[in-house]
Amino acid sequence: MFSRKKQPPIKSLIAQGTRIEGDVHFAEGMRIDGEVVGDIRAGSEQPSILVISETARVEGAVHADHVIVNGQVVGPVHAAELLELQPKAKITGNVHYKALEMHQGAVIAGQMCPVAVLVEEKPPLKLASNGQ
């Protein structure tokens, strides 16, 4: 779904020194450098990316297609496509992901739950016979 070239644009920023108390809903892309106490959820109409920077702290559930963490999250993280944990990431809570990229130094204190990928059941193969 995501290539390095076609990520959604980051249109929203919660700057360092800013604290938001309450749930946050966003579309396409968001970067957090400050603090959020509440759930963060991307809209489902289009692909989404959420960047939680080294200076950021989130207390609440996180939901987006592509989640990049280099700060602190206290709560569950749900990445519908890709979860990237950079070296200073610290997550206290369960993580749910389709694909995971974890750098040395990142910490998860919780369960790692890969999202089940539905695989189409294929019909059994029939061996070719020699006609006997």
Side-chain angles (χ1 to χ4, degrees):
M1 178 176 187
F2 290 105
S3 68
R4 294 279 180 193
K5 297 178 186 175
K6 287 199 98 176
Q7 292 183 345
I10 293 181
K11 295 183 174 182
S12 302
L13 168 68
I14 297 174
Q16 188 173 0
T18 302
R19 176 183 166 103
I20 294 182
E21 296 182 10
D23 295 346
V24 177
H25 298 267
F26 71 96
E28 295 187 88
M30 173 181 256
R31 178 182 173 100
I32 299 173
D33 292 336
E35 185 175 356
V36 176
V37 178
D39 295 348
I40 301 171
R41 184 176 297 272
S44 60
E45 299 80 40
Q46 48 196 319
S48 60
I49 184 168
L50 174 64
V51 178
I52 300 172
S53 77
E54 180 180 341
T55 60
R57 177 176 167 82
V58 174
E59 292 181 34
V62 172
H63 297 265
D65 291 331
H66 184 178
V67 180
I68 301 171
V69 180
N70 200 25
Q72 186 173 8
V73 178
V74 178
V77 176
H78 299 266
E81 292 296 325
L82 176 61
L83 174 60
E84 288 184 51
L85 301 178
Q86 295 182 339
K88 296 191 179 180
K90 182 174 182 186
I91 298 175
T92 304
N94 296 341
V95 293
H96 306 264
Y97 55 89
K98 187 172 181 182
L100 174 67
E101 181 180 318
M102 186 170 178
H103 292 252
Q104 183 176 350
V107 176
I108 298 173
Q111 292 184 342
M112 298 173 65
C113 309
V115 175
V117 178
L118 295 176
V119 179
E120 290 182 27
E121 193 170 316
K122 296 179 181 176
L125 294 175
K126 295 182 181 179
L127 298 175
S129 65
N130 59 5
Q132 293 178 356

